Amino acid sequence: MSAWRDLAKLPRPLWAQFFATLVNRMGTMALPFLVLYLTRHRGFTSERAASMLVLYGAGACVMGPVGGWLCDRFDAARVMTGALALSGLVLFIYPVAHAPAAVAAATLVWALASEAFRPAGLASTSTHAAPAQRKAAFALSRLATNLGMSFGPALGGFLAERSFPLLFRVDGCTSLLAAAVLVLGHARLSAGVPEGQPPGAEPAVALAAEAPRHSPWESFLGAWSDRRLRGMLLAFLPVALIFFQHDGAMPIYLVRDLGLPFSAYGMLFTINTVLIIFLEIPLNAAMESWPHRRSLSLGAALFGVGFGLLGVVKGFAGAAATVVVWTFGEMILFPSASSYIADISPERRRGAYMGLFTTIFSVAFMTGPWAGIRVMEVCGAASLWAACLAAGAVSAVFLARVR
């Protein structure tokens, strides 16, 4: 219970971010169902649908370092608000796009608008939380994400059976509402140090104002020159490629090959998020004294085993069991990775470091779903899930060696 009580001590700006993220994620349903929307509603082939995920990932790759630079140059809260508002508007327009070129353009703009939120959220959490609070702060952020995701994709599964375009309209509404929540919650930041900010911490606005006037490219190169960050990100990439199979090959495999309905695929997200909601905070509290390398390595190994087991399951119960395994990997790996990068990042370049971290996710999102679908179509599903097991092992070995 002490782990939950400690959350109440976190600074108020993090709670404003919590509620904005919660609202946004409760409506997150368009991206998890994008492949199914394009193949079932728009008549795209599996490979063409996967190419839209590649394009989304390319936009996210661009926005990772640019978003991190914006956070170092301006207030991270403003970057988050703008990202939510713009992505909400794009989601309303997305179902209007019919031709492949129009869908591609809409996908790219959607990625650029929405993916600025990720580095901004990580930078904001790192800035407002004292070092001893960071694991709890990142767990709180993930609690908001997964509490919302326990509703969004599950509701999206039922909406998809009735109207795919409705997914985008609901998602857009919640993005705009989340932007409004964030504006109201951060209104007190303009007065200086917000109530509840750790003693001695500088306001986020002040940090941004004093940041060096470097370009996004200089920001990227400066962060990449840190060998600790570079080594961790390269070791993290294989397991990130595994993670994003849930947006590409996994739904096609479950619906087409195992014969599960759309709603069953959505319910797997609920299993994932319910476990995270109830277990991630006490689990990370119990592992608080663990060195980063141990938790990073264990989390990567569980990811590989969880997705690897998809090659031997036959129905919903088996698929749900695999989700449980890799969910424990997610609960251990992701807060530890964010905390490690926050610990090694200079205070006034935190946005750049977090921007590179989110760029690794974007690279994995851009290449992982496409590569997974390609391997599944050419070599078979068994080969894909065996490759996931091997990739998890590779990440586990190298993450065990981070400094």
Side-chain angles (χ1 to χ4, degrees), residues 188-325:
R188 68 190 311 141
L189 285 176
S190 59
V193 179
E195 182 179 348
Q197 186 158 322
E202 299 180 62
V205 175
L207 288 174
E210 297 172 13
R213 295 299 191 241
H214 46 64
S215 68
W217 179 246
E218 291 170 332
S219 174
F220 173 88
L221 290 178
W224 186 253
S225 65
D226 188 330
R227 288 189 298 175
R228 295 172 301 172
L229 177 67
R230 189 169 63 246
M232 187 274 181
L233 295 181
L234 292 175
F236 191 85
L237 180 58
V239 75
L241 292 170
I242 299 172
F243 175 67
F244 283 111
Q245 297 311 310
H246 77 269
D247 282 326
M250 181 177 166
I252 294 175
Y253 174 70
L254 295 176
V255 173
R256 184 190 68 187
D257 297 353
L258 297 189
L260 300 181
F262 294 150
S263 55
Y265 169 60
M267 288 302 296
L268 292 177
F269 279 92
T270 303
I271 293 172
N272 167 263
T273 53
V274 167
L275 287 172
I276 291 171
I277 289 165
F278 288 103
L279 296 181
E280 180 168 315
I281 288 175
L283 179 63
N284 278 273
M287 300 168 60
E288 185 177 6
S289 61
W290 284 27
H292 286 302
R293 64 179 63 189
R294 183 189 302 177
S295 53
L296 292 171
S297 179
L298 176 59
L302 289 174
F303 260 116
V305 172
F307 277 91
L309 287 174
L310 277 172
V312 299
V313 302
K314 299 299 181 183
F316 178 79
T322 68
V323 170
V324 171
V325 175

Side-chain angles (χ1 to χ4, degrees), residues 38-279:
L38 294 174
T39 55
R40 297 301 180 94
H41 187 72
R42 290 295 178 212
F44 282 30
T45 64
S46 296
E47 291 188 358
R48 175 168 281 183
S51 70
M52 294 300 106
L53 293 181
V54 172
L55 188 59
Y56 186 100
C61 285
V62 171
M63 191 46 65
V66 172
W69 172 78
L70 289 172
C71 293
D72 287 337
R73 188 78 181 268
F74 306 103
D75 182 14
R78 296 176 184 174
V79 178
M80 288 189 287
T81 303
L84 290 170
L86 289 175
S87 62
L89 296 175
V90 174
L91 283 165
F92 276 103
I93 299 172
Y94 198 93
V96 179
H98 294 271
V103 172
T107 301
L108 181 59
V109 175
W110 179 20
L112 293 173
S114 64
E115 291 302 316
F117 183 86
R118 296 181 187 274
L122 292 171
S124 176
T125 301
S126 302
T127 297
H128 290 295
Q133 294 178 307
R134 281 180 184 149
K135 277 195 175 180
F138 285 119
L140 178 68
S141 177
R142 283 180 44 79
L143 176 64
T145 297
N146 289 283
L147 185 59
M149 290 291 285
S150 66
F151 293 95
L155 176 60
F158 291 102
L159 292 179
E161 294 175 350
R162 292 160 177 80
S163 171
F164 268 115
L166 190 58
L167 294 174
F168 294 88
R169 298 188 188 104
V170 173
D171 202 336
C173 286
T174 55
S175 294
L176 294 174
L177 181 58
V181 170
L182 198 59
V183 168
L184 294 175
H186 278 271
R188 68 190 311 141
L189 285 176
S190 59
V193 179
E195 182 179 348
Q197 186 158 322
E202 299 180 62
V205 175
L207 288 174
E210 297 172 13
R213 295 299 191 241
H214 46 64
S215 68
W217 179 246
E218 291 170 332
S219 174
F220 173 88
L221 290 178
W224 186 253
S225 65
D226 188 330
R227 288 189 298 175
R228 295 172 301 172
L229 177 67
R230 189 169 63 246
M232 187 274 181
L233 295 181
L234 292 175
F236 191 85
L237 180 58
V239 75
L241 292 170
I242 299 172
F243 175 67
F244 283 111
Q245 297 311 310
H246 77 269
D247 282 326
M250 181 177 166
I252 294 175
Y253 174 70
L254 295 176
V255 173
R256 184 190 68 187
D257 297 353
L258 297 189
L260 300 181
F262 294 150
S263 55
Y265 169 60
M267 288 302 296
L268 292 177
F269 279 92
T270 303
I271 293 172
N272 167 263
T273 53
V274 167
L275 287 172
I276 291 171
I277 289 165
F278 288 103
L279 296 181

Side-chain angles (χ1 to χ4, degrees), residues 324-391:
V324 171
V325 175
W326 62 258
T327 296
F328 271 90
E330 180 182 355
M331 291 189 290
I332 295 169
L333 179 63
F334 288 173
S336 297
S338 299
S339 180
Y340 174 76
I341 293 176
D343 286 350
I344 67 172
S345 61
E347 191 170 25
R348 287 178 173 80
R349 304 193 68 180
R350 194 158 286 142
Y353 276 61
M354 291 303 181
L356 271 179
F357 182 41
T358 61
T359 298
I360 287 296
F361 275 96
S362 300
V363 169
F365 183 83
M366 179 176 63
T367 58
W370 176 85
I373 290 173
R374 183 67 177 167
V375 170
M376 186 169 65
E377 298 294 341
V378 174
C379 303
S383 297
L384 170 62
W385 307 128
C388 287
L389 178 63

